[in-house]
Amino acid sequence: MNNKFIPIISVFMTISLIVFVTLQFYWLKGYYEALEQDFSNKVHAALESSVKKINDQEVEKYYARYKNFDQEAIANADQPTLTLIQTVEDSASKRQITTYKNIIEKQSIPISPQGDSLNLTKMYTDEALITIKKNQNTPELLTAEQNSQIESGEFNFREFAQLNVKDLPIDQRVDQNSIDSLVSRELKMKGIDTKFGYGIIDSKDQLTTVASSIYKDEKNADSYSFPLYLDSNDQIQYSLALVFPRKGYSLAKNNLPMLLGTFLSLLTILGIYIISINYMMKQKKIAEVKTDFINNMSHEFKTPLATISVATDSLANDKISNNPEKVKYYSHLIKQENLRMKKQIENVLNMSKLERNEVQLFLKETNLRNLIREITESFSLIVAQRDGTITQEFTADRYIVKVDEFHISNALINLLDNANKYSPEVPEISVKTKSDNHWYIIEISDKGIGLDSDNKKKIFEKFFREETGNIHNVKGQGLGLSYVKKIVELHKGQILVESHKGKGSTFTLKLPMTS
């Protein structure tokens, strides 16, 4: 993919994701509002039913004192307060008579010394239907059935009650335990099973003494209310209010599958987006790094090839070919540059093998002290060309370690080479060894340019090279430290770096000791 298209694709993907997430949250907001509305409807229905039952209980409480009212009304059936007779002639020979007899009695029951009362209105209705033959001259005999209908005294009973209460304290009118059980039962019947608090509010929107502890703690939260008691003018005296401290949790719990599915889908899409963007950015970075790598490799090969070309031309010169010392010098130069190119190629091939896990270690017990001393003394000749020094400090009391000599040697040479290359002034390199429990520790330190803190983890990435202002001022392909890390890990060891910009770096290799 062309690197130019990656930012464009990323922008379009980001815009699409933002639109999708916005729509998802908008849908979730509407869905939650619908759940809240449904919850509110159920609560109000439960409140209405609870208030009706509370009122019925209060009326029954006061009415229980007057049990003989029905019998007194039946006893006065012969003296109706209202009688209605309706005659319908439906043919020439018959007519139908309908009679209505109503007994209406009103009674006021005092329930407090302050004048509060329970007003009762009771109505008894007797209805009869008689069909008789129409004969103007001869009266029709009154049958036993007709007489029974007229004289039966059987009444249909209807009762109406209205409380006229102004001064009776609210705590004497309701029972808190009864309210709690009634409301709880009604809510469960509506499908609401969550913790709630109740309280009774007066006409001035003040909380009365009748309130649960939950309502007192949550009185500032959103509440649901319904008129509980009305006065004689149908004005609200008291209201029953409910609060639900865990309403949000209850709504989410009852709709968990839907919400969980939505959030998982959203997280999956976000995850895919992040992985895709990260992958494209990595591919872009890899493409850039590979381009730099090819440029560096071209430079690395160009220099020795140019040197070999010059040396070859020089050897062809008669004056030089007849001078054994010159021939020896240019032959050595050609061999040195050839080895340099071979080393570069081997680094690339070794990294390729490491990436494919094709490297096999030939482990054997090795005297690491002697191996490190030989490598250090050999490399000191290179450092001496820049008037630099390498100091050695071997304090490890155990130094027999099972390693692959070839790869460990290459790893140490890479670290020493980096310490030399990244020391812009006279190199000052130190090599220390010590043992710590079951670890053999090697420390290679320099006083070079150091690393930025952000690059400490990146330096072990393949092809990574820290920016130094000129891509070719420090030779290399960015493979050395990646190779070192992989070799150390294959030995089941660890590699650590401590570095400060402008003060130098210390690389620590920890290799497991032989048991």
Side-chain angles (χ1 to χ4, degrees), residues 252-300:
K253 179 182 176 182
N254 293 335
N255 298 273
L256 187 60
M258 174 69 73
L259 296 175
L260 190 61
T262 302
F263 278 114
L264 285 177
S265 300
L266 189 59
L267 289 176
T268 301
I269 292 172
L270 284 172
I272 293 172
Y273 166 78
I274 293 171
I275 292 171
S276 300
I277 294 295
N278 187 47
Y279 178 77
M280 286 193 293
M281 291 297 105
K282 280 187 176 181
Q283 290 300 311
K284 183 175 181 290
K285 181 66 176 177
I286 288 172
E288 293 172 352
V289 168
K290 284 184 176 179
T291 301
D292 292 341
F293 170 73
I294 292 170
N295 291 336
N296 284 323
M297 284 295 294
S298 300
H299 178 78
E300 292 293 322

Side-chain angles (χ1 to χ4, degrees), residues 385-402:
Q385 294 176 359
R386 299 179 60 198
D387 298 325
T389 58
I390 297 181
T391 60
Q392 302 178 40
E393 184 180 337
F394 301 146
T395 60
D397 53 0
R398 293 188 298 158
Y399 38 81
I400 303 300
V401 184
K402 187 176 285 189

Side-chain angles (χ1 to χ4, degrees), residues 39-53:
F39 183 86
S40 177
N41 293 339
K42 290 179 178 179
V43 170
H44 278 99
L47 274 172
E48 183 178 6
S49 180
S50 299
V51 164
K52 184 179 183 305
K53 290 181 179 180

